[in-house]
Amino acid sequence: MKRKIIKSVIATSCLVMLLAGCQQGAPSSSTSQQNNNNKQGKPVEIEFWYGNGGVIGETTKSLVEQFNQSQNEVKVNAVFQETTNNIGKKLLTAIVGNVVPDVVQLNARFWPTFAYNKALLPLDSYIQNDSNFDYSDFVDSFVKNTLIDGKTYTLPFNRSTSILYYNKDIVKEIGLDPEHPVSTWDELMAAAKKATVVKDGKTDRFGFSTYLPPLYYYSLMWSNGGDIFSPDQKEVVLDQAPAIQGLEMYRSMIYDTKTMMQPTGGTTTDSGQELVNFKNGKVAFLVASTADLSEIQKSIKFNLGVGFVPKFKEYAVTTSSGGNLAIVAKAPKEKQDAAWKFIKFLTDKQQTIYFTQHTGYMPIRKSAVASPEMVKFYEQNPFFKTAVDELPYGRALPVVPDFDKIEAELQKAIGKTYAQNVPAQESMKEAAVQIRAIMKK
């Protein structure tokens, strides 16, 4: 795939020109006040946009408070923006309006759109010149999702992957081992059929469900030898058999055996009915995010089980889920320097441990994984370790221009199959045509 300048995150034809000066200093949301503060010796104030609510949001705010209390050089004002995707849209508006935040939490798959447009500050000079920052300590599979052409534009923060949740009580009811009920998709399909309950012609309990976004489908493609692109990323292979089989399996479970609840939503801030039904005992098995773990444990009245996402030929999960931290290129230099101190704090070992233990997200640092605190935590909370054990099977999505548009086409295809019973071969073929057109622009 040829490198190219991204035209927009949304349909805005003039974005390239508007972002052309992104690396030049421009007013942030509190620059005038900041100038006065500097003269009075007050801390540098920066604005941080974050996009997770619930337990995750509360934990993020707690970390901000810890940072503010730990020193007197920088004060962070945290602003909740509903979702990381919403941050992307609002950041575009802020850049166009020339009033920007200083540091942002962006979707781990869509941040390249801004980096290719020079809207994000490369972090390499900070990394190289900060002797107290150990870049090599980040988990390798997360680092791959921070780079473009060898330059680091983001740091991993709240990173997750998919795992299999299941209701142990239902598993016992259908005669399976409650500790290891399934490992393959064939076994899952059989278990889902046993777990499905129909009353008066209506499904009272589904055997299985998952979320709508493609993030929860990539593992099926990879596990079966399929992918979006060829290894050199020049050809679209989304419409080939290995990539299609998993979606056709889902279609059959929804419409033929009627053992799968139709996915309609699902994010960590706006969880769909799939998660609600699982927590209410109306879905037996659910593929969802590790970030859902804390919320699930607080909400259920049944015995919970957690395992790897089932496999076809081999286990495979994406490590490109969640959010990364970035410094906005248009922020003034003093605020960029302050923002670096902040994201350095957020991604340090101790904060990684705190964030992981309170949210269910994966530890982003190797030292955190091996720390006595996490070893003890995993012994006491083995479910949280499932995602870490899956990491050897983790794969990062390609960091390519317009991936947000590419994934949008994939979601349309998946959605058609889920909602309209469109055969997977047909919906994926349509998506492949559209993605090839995107790549040629």
Side-chain angles (χ1 to χ4, degrees), residues 98-132:
N98 216 33
V99 180
V100 297
D102 307 295
V103 57
V104 290
Q105 175 197 17
L106 293 172
N107 186 303
R109 303 184 305 289
F110 302 157
W111 64 264
T113 297
F114 290 97
Y116 277 110
N117 273 299
K118 304 184 186 304
L120 304 182
L121 183 72
L123 304 176
D124 303 275
S125 61
Y126 289 115
I127 293 170
Q128 295 165 6
N129 296 321
D130 193 330
S131 59
N132 295 319

Short mmCIF file of all heavy atoms in Angstrom, two decimals, residues 98-132:
data_model
loop_
_atom_site.label_atom_id
_atom_site.label_comp_id
_atom_site.label_asym_id
_atom_site.label_seq_id
_atom_site.Cartn_x
_atom_site.Cartn_y
_atom_site.Cartn_z
N ASN A 98 -8.45 25.95 15.92
CA ASN A 98 -7.18 26.47 16.45
C ASN A 98 -7.19 26.63 17.97
O ASN A 98 -6.45 27.43 18.52
CB ASN A 98 -6.83 27.81 15.79
CG ASN A 98 -5.33 27.97 15.60
OD1 ASN A 98 -4.62 26.99 15.36
ND2 ASN A 98 -4.83 29.19 15.71
N VAL A 99 -8.04 25.88 18.65
CA VAL A 99 -8.05 25.84 20.11
C VAL A 99 -8.04 24.37 20.51
O VAL A 99 -9.09 23.71 20.47
CB VAL A 99 -9.26 26.57 20.71
CG1 VAL A 99 -9.22 26.51 22.23
CG2 VAL A 99 -9.30 28.02 20.25
N VAL A 100 -6.89 23.86 20.89
CA VAL A 100 -6.72 22.42 21.03
C VAL A 100 -6.45 22.01 22.48
O VAL A 100 -5.95 22.81 23.28
CB VAL A 100 -5.54 21.93 20.15
CG1 VAL A 100 -5.83 22.18 18.69
CG2 VAL A 100 -4.22 22.58 20.57
N PRO A 101 -6.76 20.75 22.81
CA PRO A 101 -6.28 20.19 24.08
C PRO A 101 -4.78 19.94 23.94
O PRO A 101 -4.21 20.09 22.86
CB PRO A 101 -7.06 18.89 24.21
CG PRO A 101 -7.29 18.48 22.78
CD PRO A 101 -7.50 19.76 22.03
N ASP A 102 -4.16 19.52 25.01
CA ASP A 102 -2.71 19.32 24.98
C ASP A 102 -2.33 17.84 24.88
O ASP A 102 -1.35 17.49 24.21
CB ASP A 102 -2.08 19.93 26.24
CG ASP A 102 -2.49 21.38 26.41
OD1 ASP A 102 -2.12 22.19 25.55
OD2 ASP A 102 -3.21 21.69 27.38
N VAL A 103 -3.11 16.99 25.50
CA VAL A 103 -2.85 15.56 25.45
C VAL A 103 -4.19 14.84 25.33
O VAL A 103 -5.19 15.26 25.93
CB VAL A 103 -2.05 15.07 26.68
CG1 VAL A 103 -2.77 15.40 27.97
CG2 VAL A 103 -1.74 13.58 26.61
N VAL A 104 -4.23 13.78 24.51
CA VAL A 104 -5.50 13.11 24.23
C VAL A 104 -5.33 11.59 24.29
O VAL A 104 -4.25 11.05 24.05
CB VAL A 104 -6.04 13.48 22.84
CG1 VAL A 104 -6.51 14.92 22.81
CG2 VAL A 104 -4.98 13.26 21.75
N GLN A 105 -6.41 10.95 24.63
CA GLN A 105 -6.50 9.49 24.58
C GLN A 105 -7.25 9.15 23.29
O GLN A 105 -8.43 9.46 23.16
CB GLN A 105 -7.26 8.96 25.80
CG GLN A 105 -7.52 7.46 25.79
CD GLN A 105 -8.60 7.06 26.78
OE1 GLN A 105 -9.37 7.88 27.24
NE2 GLN A 105 -8.64 5.78 27.13
N LEU A 106 -6.57 8.54 22.34
CA LEU A 106 -7.16 8.24 21.05
C LEU A 106 -7.35 6.74 20.86
O LEU A 106 -6.59 5.93 21.43
CB LEU A 106 -6.29 8.78 19.92
CG LEU A 106 -6.18 10.30 19.80
CD1 LEU A 106 -5.13 10.69 18.77
CD2 LEU A 106 -7.53 10.91 19.43
N ASN A 107 -8.33 6.38 20.05
CA ASN A 107 -8.53 4.98 19.69
C ASN A 107 -7.23 4.39 19.18
O ASN A 107 -6.57 4.97 18.30
CB ASN A 107 -9.62 4.91 18.61
CG ASN A 107 -10.02 3.49 18.27
OD1 ASN A 107 -9.20 2.66 17.90
ND2 ASN A 107 -11.32 3.21 18.38
N ALA A 108 -6.86 3.24 19.71
CA ALA A 108 -5.56 2.63 19.38
C ALA A 108 -5.45 2.22 17.92
O ALA A 108 -4.35 1.95 17.44
CB ALA A 108 -5.32 1.42 20.28
N ARG A 109 -6.58 2.19 17.19
CA ARG A 109 -6.54 1.82 15.78
C ARG A 109 -6.64 3.03 14.85
O ARG A 109 -6.24 2.95 13.70
CB ARG A 109 -7.67 0.83 15.46
CG ARG A 109 -7.62 -0.41 16.34
CD ARG A 109 -8.67 -1.44 15.96
NE ARG A 109 -10.03 -0.95 15.96
CZ ARG A 109 -10.75 -0.62 17.03
NH1 ARG A 109 -10.20 -0.70 18.23
NH2 ARG A 109 -12.00 -0.23 16.93
N PHE A 110 -7.16 4.15 15.36
CA PHE A 110 -7.46 5.28 14.48
C PHE A 110 -6.52 6.47 14.65
O PHE A 110 -6.60 7.43 13.88
CB PHE A 110 -8.90 5.74 14.70
CG PHE A 110 -9.93 4.67 14.46
CD1 PHE A 110 -11.19 4.74 15.03
CD2 PHE A 110 -9.64 3.57 13.66
CE1 PHE A 110 -12.14 3.75 14.81
CE2 PHE A 110 -10.58 2.57 13.44
CZ PHE A 110 -11.83 2.66 14.01
N TRP A 111 -5.63 6.45 15.65
CA TRP A 111 -4.72 7.58 15.83
C TRP A 111 -3.85 7.87 14.61
O TRP A 111 -3.47 9.04 14.38
CB TRP A 111 -3.84 7.39 17.07
CG TRP A 111 -2.89 6.22 16.98
CD1 TRP A 111 -3.09 4.97 17.47
CD2 TRP A 111 -1.61 6.19 16.33
NE1 TRP A 111 -2.03 4.15 17.18
CE2 TRP A 111 -1.10 4.88 16.49
CE3 TRP A 111 -0.84 7.13 15.64
CZ2 TRP A 111 0.14 4.49 15.97
CZ3 TRP A 111 0.40 6.74 15.13
CH2 TRP A 111 0.87 5.44 15.30
N PRO A 112 -3.48 6.85 13.77
CA PRO A 112 -2.63 7.17 12.61
C PRO A 112 -3.20 8.23 11.68
O PRO A 112 -2.46 8.95 11.01
CB PRO A 112 -2.50 5.81 11.90
CG PRO A 112 -2.62 4.80 12.99
CD PRO A 112 -3.68 5.38 13.89
N THR A 113 -4.54 8.33 11.62
CA THR A 113 -5.16 9.36 10.77
C THR A 113 -4.60 10.74 11.13
O THR A 113 -4.29 11.54 10.25
CB THR A 113 -6.68 9.35 10.95
OG1 THR A 113 -7.19 8.11 10.51
CG2 THR A 113 -7.34 10.48 10.16
N PHE A 114 -4.46 11.02 12.41
CA PHE A 114 -3.94 12.31 12.86
C PHE A 114 -2.42 12.38 12.69
O PHE A 114 -1.89 13.43 12.33
CB PHE A 114 -4.33 12.55 14.31
CG PHE A 114 -5.79 12.79 14.50
CD1 PHE A 114 -6.65 11.77 14.87
CD2 PHE A 114 -6.34 14.05 14.29
CE1 PHE A 114 -8.00 11.99 15.03
CE2 PHE A 114 -7.69 14.29 14.44
CZ PHE A 114 -8.53 13.25 14.81
N ALA A 115 -1.74 11.29 12.96
CA ALA A 115 -0.28 11.31 12.85
C ALA A 115 0.17 11.55 11.41
O ALA A 115 1.11 12.31 11.16
CB ALA A 115 0.30 9.99 13.37
N TYR A 116 -0.50 10.90 10.45
CA TYR A 116 -0.13 11.11 9.05
C TYR A 116 -0.33 12.56 8.62
O TYR A 116 0.32 13.05 7.70
CB TYR A 116 -0.95 10.19 8.14
CG TYR A 116 -0.40 8.80 8.01
CD1 TYR A 116 -1.07 7.71 8.58
CD2 TYR A 116 0.79 8.56 7.34
CE1 TYR A 116 -0.56 6.42 8.47
CE2 TYR A 116 1.31 7.27 7.23
CZ TYR A 116 0.62 6.21 7.79
OH TYR A 116 1.13 4.94 7.68
N ASN A 117 -1.25 13.25 9.29
CA ASN A 117 -1.51 14.65 8.99
C ASN A 117 -0.69 15.62 9.84
O ASN A 117 -0.97 16.82 9.84
CB ASN A 117 -3.00 14.96 9.20
CG ASN A 117 -3.81 14.67 7.96
OD1 ASN A 117 -3.59 15.26 6.92
ND2 ASN A 117 -4.74 13.74 8.06
N LYS A 118 0.27 15.07 10.59
CA LYS A 118 1.16 15.88 11.44
C LYS A 118 0.40 16.60 12.55
O LYS A 118 0.84 17.65 13.05
CB LYS A 118 1.94 16.89 10.59
CG LYS A 118 2.74 16.27 9.47
CD LYS A 118 3.58 17.30 8.74
CE LYS A 118 4.28 16.70 7.51
NZ LYS A 118 5.12 15.54 7.83
N ALA A 119 -0.72 16.05 12.96
CA ALA A 119 -1.49 16.64 14.05
C ALA A 119 -1.02 16.17 15.41
O ALA A 119 -1.39 16.74 16.43
CB ALA A 119 -2.98 16.31 13.88
N LEU A 120 -0.21 15.11 15.44
CA LEU A 120 0.34 14.58 16.69
C LEU A 120 1.84 14.82 16.74
O LEU A 120 2.53 14.75 15.71
CB LEU A 120 0.05 13.08 16.82
CG LEU A 120 -1.41 12.66 16.73
CD1 LEU A 120 -1.53 11.15 16.93
CD2 LEU A 120 -2.27 13.41 17.74
N LEU A 121 2.34 15.09 17.92
CA LEU A 121 3.76 15.38 18.10
C LEU A 121 4.56 14.08 18.19
O LEU A 121 4.26 13.22 19.02
CB LEU A 121 3.96 16.17 19.40
CG LEU A 121 5.39 16.61 19.71
CD1 LEU A 121 5.80 17.74 18.76
CD2 LEU A 121 5.50 17.06 21.16
N PRO A 122 5.59 13.90 17.35
CA PRO A 122 6.47 12.73 17.53
C PRO A 122 7.13 12.79 18.90
O PRO A 122 7.58 13.85 19.35
CB PRO A 122 7.50 12.90 16.40
CG PRO A 122 6.83 13.76 15.38
CD PRO A 122 5.97 14.71 16.17
N LEU A 123 7.22 11.65 19.56
CA LEU A 123 7.70 11.60 20.94
C LEU A 123 9.15 11.15 21.06
O LEU A 123 9.67 11.03 22.17
CB LEU A 123 6.81 10.65 21.75
CG LEU A 123 5.31 10.96 21.74
CD1 LEU A 123 4.54 9.88 22.51
CD2 LEU A 123 5.03 12.34 22.33
N ASP A 124 9.81 10.92 19.95
CA ASP A 124 11.14 10.31 19.97
C ASP A 124 12.16 11.14 20.73
O ASP A 124 13.01 10.59 21.44
CB ASP A 124 11.61 10.06 18.54
CG ASP A 124 10.64 9.19 17.77
OD1 ASP A 124 10.73 7.96 17.88
OD2 ASP A 124 9.75 9.74 17.11
N SER A 125 12.12 12.46 20.58
CA SER A 125 13.11 13.28 21.28
C SER A 125 12.93 13.19 22.79
O SER A 125 13.92 13.15 23.55
CB SER A 125 13.00 14.74 20.83
OG SER A 125 11.72 15.27 21.14
N TYR A 126 11.68 13.12 23.26
CA TYR A 126 11.43 12.95 24.69
C TYR A 126 11.95 11.58 25.15
O TYR A 126 12.62 11.46 26.19
CB TYR A 126 9.94 13.05 24.99
CG TYR A 126 9.37 14.44 24.87
CD1 TYR A 126 8.42 14.74 23.90
CD2 TYR A 126 9.76 15.46 25.73
CE1 TYR A 126 7.87 16.01 23.80
CE2 TYR A 126 9.22 16.73 25.64
CZ TYR A 126 8.29 17.00 24.67
OH TYR A 126 7.76 18.26 24.56
N ILE A 127 11.65 10.56 24.39
CA ILE A 127 12.04 9.20 24.75
C ILE A 127 13.56 9.07 24.81
O ILE A 127 14.11 8.49 25.76
CB ILE A 127 11.46 8.20 23.74
CG1 ILE A 127 9.93 8.16 23.84
CG2 ILE A 127 12.04 6.79 23.96
CD1 ILE A 127 9.25 7.38 22.73
N GLN A 128 14.23 9.64 23.83
CA GLN A 128 15.69 9.51 23.75
C GLN A 128 16.42 10.35 24.80
O GLN A 128 17.50 9.97 25.25
CB GLN A 128 16.16 9.91 22.35
CG GLN A 128 15.67 8.96 21.26
CD GLN A 128 15.82 9.54 19.87
OE1 GLN A 128 16.38 10.62 19.68
NE2 GLN A 128 15.29 8.83 18.87
N ASN A 129 15.82 11.47 25.18
CA ASN A 129 16.51 12.38 26.09
C ASN A 129 16.09 12.24 27.55
O ASN A 129 16.63 12.94 28.41
CB ASN A 129 16.28 13.83 25.64
CG ASN A 129 16.90 14.12 24.28
OD1 ASN A 129 17.99 13.63 23.99
ND2 ASN A 129 16.21 14.89 23.46
N ASP A 130 15.13 11.37 27.82
CA ASP A 130 14.66 11.17 29.20
C ASP A 130 15.26 9.88 29.73
O ASP A 130 14.79 8.79 29.44
CB ASP A 130 13.13 11.10 29.23
CG ASP A 130 12.58 11.22 30.64
OD1 ASP A 130 13.27 10.80 31.59
OD2 ASP A 130 11.44 11.71 30.79
N SER A 131 16.30 10.01 30.54
CA SER A 131 17.01 8.83 31.05
C SER A 131 16.18 8.02 32.03
O SER A 131 16.50 6.86 32.32
CB SER A 131 18.32 9.26 31.73
OG SER A 131 18.05 10.14 32.81
N ASN A 132 15.10 8.61 32.54
CA ASN A 132 14.25 7.92 33.50
C ASN A 132 13.06 7.22 32.84
O ASN A 132 12.18 6.70 33.54
CB ASN A 132 13.73 8.90 34.55
CG ASN A 132 14.84 9.46 35.39
OD1 ASN A 132 15.75 8.73 35.79
ND2 ASN A 132 14.79 10.75 35.68
#
